[in-house]
Amino acid sequence: MSPKQIIFKKISKDKSVGVYMGKRDFVDRIDSVDVVDGVVLVDPEVLQGKKVYVTLSCSFRYGRDDMDVMGIAFRRDIFMSTRQIYPPLQDKEQGILTKVQEKILIKLGENAYPFFFEFPDNLPCSVGMQPAPTDVGKRCAVEFEVKAFSAENQDAKVRKRSTVSLAIRKVQYAPEQDGPAPCVSTTRDFLMSDKPLHLEASLDKATYYHGQPINVRVNINNTSNKNVRNIIISVDQIANVVLYCNDSYVKTVAIEDSGDTVEAGATLDKVYSVLPLLAHNRERRGIALDGKLKHEDTNLASSSVVKPGVLKEVLGILVSYRIMVKLIIGGEVGVELPFRLMHPKPDAGILCVEMEEDMVFEEFKRAYLKGMIEDEEGNVSTGEGS
């Protein structure tokens, strides 16, 4: 049986424009980023001489769309590029088309036109902060959107009925070459003790995949006269909102309270396992998540990879992770191990599926993390009274 290629579509309320795309996730490979490509279907009779434009935008949101305090909007556009699609500025035959575009154009006919956008090197990946259950409609996120609209010209006022918007994601996979496995040690001297306590902690690799247990090896040589009363292993997510305010959120997303003890003069060499998952943190405000589309589930945000020469302030929200190993000895003795949490790169065969005969057209809808309601036009609102 031939594999089916899902084509995501969305049509404006007045039927003047429709957008068709073969995928919603676009991969940043550090040295290159997927081209955003799709097809716009127009209805010349409905347009009545108007032009059709497509915009690719990246924005940083830190509040609801309808919030405006002293003239300051709670949104900042990081990047925006607009192209005229109809009437076309060049012959359709002159451009180089992807195989998905070729198939869609054949299916839709003569009133369909392709579009392309390239991401600049300095754009962040899709990420958002999880609101609390009571934060209806509030969000802090880096979002990407493809929007098509019809108007007399690019700067004219656009009617909502003549606009269609599609949320897309820019995602990043773990690099093929992993760095050295983290290892850290510390020695602590105590008053009234002739000898110290030595702690060493290590991971078996630098990058872990979402849903993968993290094994932490802990080696303790307690030559002091103090007793270790407990060993706690935790995973911290650090999210730095750098675009506007430099806020920093440190959230423990997994913890192993072992209850293990190490008596004075004893040693311990043990591997602990921790598993950071969104499933264990769904009701916690301020957890950073990978961007979410449609009704799909998401996961804890992937670690941010900052390219050389890119200003961190442009990236909106920077996410990193660390393992904390704490020994309870009256006070605490601890070390931290930084690591990366990311998605594995899919197999080449999955990334390059050849389309066969069948294409399945699926309505393109979007929903935010919590409390967002979509109306019949595909517009998203908070569900609150106006």
Side-chain angles (χ1 to χ4, degrees):
M1 185 175 179
S2 300
K4 294 183 178 181
Q5 170 71 42
I6 294 177
I7 304 298
F8 302 100
K9 71 171 184 177
K10 198 168 184 183
I11 311 296
S12 65
K13 186 68 173 178
D14 66 2
K15 311 297 184 185
S16 63
V17 294
V19 177
Y20 296 74
M21 299 180 69
K23 60 183 179 180
R24 297 168 296 179
D25 287 348
F26 298 86
V27 181
D28 187 338
R29 297 177 174 81
I30 306 297
D31 57 344
S32 66
V33 186
D34 286 349
V35 173
V36 177
D37 62 285
V39 171
V40 172
L41 179 66
V42 305
D43 188 331
E45 293 186 6
V46 177
L47 287 174
Q48 297 181 341
K50 293 180 181 179
K51 298 177 180 179
V52 174
Y53 301 89
V54 176
T55 296
L56 171 66
S57 64
C58 172
S59 61
F60 176 68
R61 299 174 183 267
Y62 49 106
R64 297 199 311 269
D65 285 338
D66 59 351
M67 292 179 68
D68 192 327
V69 180
M70 298 179 64
I72 301 174
F74 281 73
R75 166 186 170 135
R76 175 173 173 180
D77 289 323
I78 300 174
F79 167 79
M80 180 174 290
S81 178
T82 303
R83 305 241 171 103
Q84 179 179 317
I85 302 301
Y86 177 84
L89 299 179
Q90 69 173 25
D91 194 300
K92 282 194 284 188
E93 307 302 323
Q94 294 179 359
I96 299 175
L97 302 176
T98 66
K99 292 183 178 180
V100 175
Q101 286 176 318
E102 290 176 355
K103 295 279 187 178
I104 298 175
L105 289 171
I106 292 172
K107 185 82 171 178
L108 298 182
E110 62 180 8
N111 289 325
Y113 299 87
F115 65 86
F116 295 89
F117 288 98
E118 292 185 356
F119 287 111
D121 287 338
N122 62 343
L123 291 186
C125 289
S126 301
V127 62
M129 306 298 287
Q130 178 169 256
T134 56
D135 291 342
V136 178
K138 298 178 183 178
R139 65 190 186 276
C140 175
V142 173
E143 298 176 338
F144 290 85
E145 184 178 72
V146 171
K147 181 171 73 173
F149 61 94
S150 59
E152 284 77 11
N153 58 68
Q154 182 175 331
D155 299 320
K157 184 176 181 179
V158 181
R159 297 171 64 222
K160 202 169 188 178
R161 293 174 54 84
S162 304
T163 302
V164 55
S165 298
L166 301 84
I168 63 172
R169 288 189 296 195
K170 180 171 175 282
V171 298
Q172 200 162 49
Y173 297 133
E176 294 183 1
Q177 300 296 325
D178 202 8
C183 180
V184 65
S185 62
T186 186
T187 299
R188 177 66 61 87
D189 291 303
F190 301 97
L191 292 173
M192 312 299 293
S193 177
D194 294 334
K195 296 182 179 180
L197 176 145
H198 182 75
L199 165 64
E200 180 179 288
S202 61
L203 305 179
D204 50 8
K205 55 184 178 178
T207 302
Y208 291 84
Y209 301 143
H210 293 287
Q212 188 176 61
I214 301 171
N215 294 322
V216 186
R217 183 163 192 164
V218 177
N219 187 292
I220 300 171
N221 184 14
N222 186 13
T223 61
S224 74
N225 59 9
K226 304 291 184 179
N227 295 329
V228 176
R229 297 186 291 184
N230 196 6
I231 301 172
I232 301 173
I233 315 295
S234 61
V235 180
D236 286 347
Q237 180 197 75
I238 304 99
N240 292 305
V241 182
V242 296
L243 188 61
Y244 259 88
C245 51
N246 241 354
D247 284 348
S248 183
Y249 299 86
V250 180
K251 302 289 184 179
T252 298
V253 293
I255 190 166
E256 171 66 23
D257 191 339
S258 71
D260 289 343
T261 61
V262 184
E263 301 293 329
T267 61
L268 178 139
D269 189 356
K270 186 173 179 178
V271 175
Y272 298 91
S273 182
V274 285
L275 180 58
L277 288 175
L278 174 58
H280 304 152
N281 297 277
R282 288 198 180 278
E283 303 303 317
R284 301 185 60 207
R285 180 179 182 177
I287 300 290
L289 310 177
D290 274 346
K292 180 178 181 178
L293 296 179
K294 208 185 171 202
H295 303 294
E296 296 172 333
D297 205 350
T298 185
N299 48 263
L300 295 172
S302 298
S303 298
S304 303
V305 178
V306 182
K307 299 178 183 179
V310 173
L311 294 175
K312 292 183 179 180
E313 290 74 15
V314 181
L315 300 182
I317 302 173
L318 290 175
V319 178
S320 60
Y321 291 88
R322 68 189 182 194
I323 295 285
M324 299 293 295
V325 179
K326 295 180 181 179
L327 310 184
I328 307 303
I329 318 173
E332 291 183 359
V333 175
V335 294
E336 61 181 71
L337 296 154
F339 71 97
R340 286 189 295 203
L341 184 64
M342 303 185 76
H343 289 288
K345 181 180 178 181
D347 295 335
I350 296 176
L351 287 173
C352 305
V353 173
E354 293 289 339
M355 286 197 306
E356 300 296 336
E357 294 296 327
D358 296 333
M359 289 192 299
V360 178
F361 289 84
E362 180 177 308
E363 292 295 332
F364 195 117
K365 298 180 180 179
R366 67 182 294 182
Y368 292 110
L369 299 176
K370 288 180 184 291
M372 305 306 288
I373 297 173
E374 187 172 44
D375 62 23
E376 293 180 355
E377 297 185 33
N379 300 312
V380 176
S381 66
T382 64
E384 299 171 338
S386 58

